[in-house]
Amino acid sequence: MKILIVLKKELLDQIRDRRTIIAALVMPAVIVPVLLFFLMQEPANNDLPAGVRIVTPGTAADTDGELTPGGETTLGDVLHSALGDFATISSDTPDEAVRKGEAELAIEESHGADGEPIFILRHDPARKLSGVVFARVHAALQGAYGAAVSPENASIRAVPVRSEVEYTTLLTLSLMLPVFLMVFSASTTMSSVIDMSAGEKERGTLETLLSSSVSRPSLLLGKILAAAIVGITAGAALLAGLAVSSAVVPEMTGGLALLSVAGPPALALILVVLLSCVLLFSATGMALGLYAKSVKEGTVFTLPVIILVSVLSGGMIAGDPFIRVTVHLVIPVVNTGYSIRALLFGHADYPAIALAIVSTLCGAALMYGVSYLLLKREKVINRS
């Protein structure tokens, strides 16, 4: 019976505050379906963006869908049927063009001793878009030339521009590293800033700070920067630990060490981009902590934010490291995830990185303003 009394008391304490119920039950029930809905809007595997770039022989770009005098299908016909509109580029080094993201696919056409067509398709298995383009062109070539040329003569050769260990490592890191960096820095930063805001309220020391000679803007900025330092330190520690451990056991990242994929300059730039996101996490956590009545309530409020961060940084949105989508670059977390993936692939897209940093800092400034307004409201500060 005494157990039931304690159980009843604790349950009543848990459900007494409506905001806690909303944050703990309603928000998780709503946020996951909403996120899944937006993820459904992403292009399917068989959908291609306009202007897919192909390195082709000079004749392929000039056919414009025409047929040869003998009525045979040209390579240009095949590409148009498989891809729709596409852009052709010329390159003396087709492998490098595909590796650097200048093209999604490179095609080389030649003929064997008996005149049979031979096609070499160079693609990047570490890029989803390159893999989709390769699959569609490969299937179209088989369909177009398989009936006219006997299977033993026709030759369609797939040549990945990366070794298996390289693309396995890139796939692993590009999917794993943005999520780990964001989630660990967000959780560390918010845990720290919740203690500096809701914790100060709960301990009754915030009023003492507000009565001191330190202005409210300075007080807020100092706390936000302190929490951001904690968060970026966690991110740096994660990168350092992964760099050392993958150097000792490279199999954990797919076969190559982190420093073999991204050197110190790239890792330093990743930390710079991450810092802008950490400032946003800190300012957002400050607003949530000032609004919450206790550390426990503030922690509950941050859970949906961390879930949102993990999904948006997971590579499902704006996942291709060589395709710049402006709308993605102005969405915090999404733009940071894109920047990290691009740097892992050796693509230092400085204008995109600058736009990502500026837009994320604008979000941090907005949350700083919200925190300042909350700090001015005595009803919010004094409630318990």
Side-chain angles (χ1 to χ4, degrees):
M1 182 61 72
K2 292 182 180 180
I3 294 177
L4 294 178
I5 295 174
V6 174
L7 176 62
K8 179 180 178 181
K9 180 261 182 189
E10 295 299 335
L11 285 177
L12 289 175
D13 287 342
Q14 295 295 317
I15 65 175
R16 183 172 288 117
D17 195 332
R18 292 181 180 178
R19 292 172 303 164
T20 303
I21 295 299
I22 292 174
L25 300 179
V26 178
M27 289 186 67
V30 172
I31 194 170
V32 173
V34 170
L35 289 174
L36 290 176
F37 172 79
F38 282 108
L39 292 176
M40 287 173 57
Q41 311 310 309
E42 287 297 294
N45 285 344
N46 57 350
D47 293 335
L48 296 175
V52 170
R53 301 158 297 178
I54 308 291
V55 180
T56 62
T59 55
D62 301 328
T63 57
D64 196 24
E66 298 178 357
L67 298 178
T68 60
E72 296 179 357
T73 304
T74 64
L75 177 58
D77 292 321
V78 175
L79 294 178
H80 279 292
S81 66
L83 306 174
D85 293 332
F86 64 93
T88 59
I89 66 173
S90 60
S91 175
D92 295 331
T93 54
D95 285 79
E96 284 301 306
V98 177
R99 279 180 63 91
K100 294 179 179 179
E102 298 170 359
E104 278 67 61
L105 186 71
I107 303 177
E108 297 177 24
E109 181 183 11
S110 62
H111 294 82
D114 298 331
E116 72 275 7
I118 298 175
F119 299 100
I120 298 177
L121 307 182
R122 304 181 186 276
H123 64 103
D124 187 351
R127 292 180 60 200
K128 175 183 175 182
L129 179 58
S130 180
V132 173
V133 172
F134 163 75
R136 293 185 66 161
V137 172
H138 189 280
L141 286 172
Q142 284 184 324
Y145 291 93
V149 182
S150 60
E152 60 271 15
N153 291 331
S155 178
I156 304 173
R157 304 172 185 172
V159 180
V161 298
R162 302 181 191 274
S163 65
E164 182 177 358
V165 66
E166 183 182 5
Y167 82 73
T168 301
T169 302
L170 276 175
L171 282 177
T172 302
L173 288 175
S174 63
L175 291 175
M176 174 190 72
L177 193 58
V179 179
F180 283 1
L181 279 175
M182 300 282 213
V183 170
F184 278 105
S185 61
S187 58
T188 304
T189 302
M190 289 191 170
S191 175
S192 179
V193 80
I194 287 295
D195 182 69
M196 297 179 189
S197 52
E200 294 273 13
K201 289 171 60 176
E202 198 170 17
R203 293 188 294 269
T205 55
L206 184 58
E207 292 87 346
T208 304
L209 289 174
L210 292 175
S211 62
S212 66
S213 59
V214 181
S215 65
R216 280 175 166 79
S218 298
L219 180 65
L220 272 180
L221 190 58
K223 287 178 175 290
I224 289 173
L225 290 177
I229 290 174
V230 174
I232 197 63
T233 302
L238 190 154
L239 282 178
L242 185 59
V244 173
S245 58
S246 63
V248 177
V249 187
E251 289 77 14
M252 69 171 50
T253 53
L256 294 177
L258 175 60
L259 288 174
S260 299
V261 176
L267 295 182
L269 195 51
I270 286 176
L271 285 177
V272 171
V273 179
L274 182 64
L275 178 59
S276 64
C277 226
V278 168
L279 287 169
L280 175 61
F281 298 151
S282 184
T284 302
M286 177 61 69
L288 294 174
L290 290 174
Y291 182 75
K293 293 191 297 185
S294 63
V295 172
K296 176 184 175 182
E297 188 175 271
T299 302
V300 172
F301 287 163
T302 63
L303 289 179
V305 178
I306 296 174
I307 293 173
L308 183 63
V309 166
S310 66
V311 173
L312 294 181
S313 61
M316 300 183 200
I317 300 177
D320 194 290
F322 294 103
I323 296 181
R324 183 195 303 175
V325 182
T326 304
V327 67
H328 291 159
L329 294 177
V330 297
I331 302 176
V333 179
V334 174
N335 52 25
T336 305
Y338 164 83
S339 300
I340 294 174
R341 282 187 291 275
L343 290 169
L344 287 173
F345 275 78
H347 179 50
D349 190 350
Y350 294 111
I353 291 174
L355 179 57
I357 291 175
V358 170
S359 60
T360 303
L361 290 178
C362 287
L366 176 63
M367 296 312 300
Y368 172 84
V370 173
S371 300
Y372 179 71
L373 292 177
L374 288 173
L375 196 61
K376 289 177 63 177
R377 296 179 58 185
E378 291 187 10
K379 183 175 69 172
V380 172
I381 298 302
N382 295 327
R383 67 185 174 194
S384 58

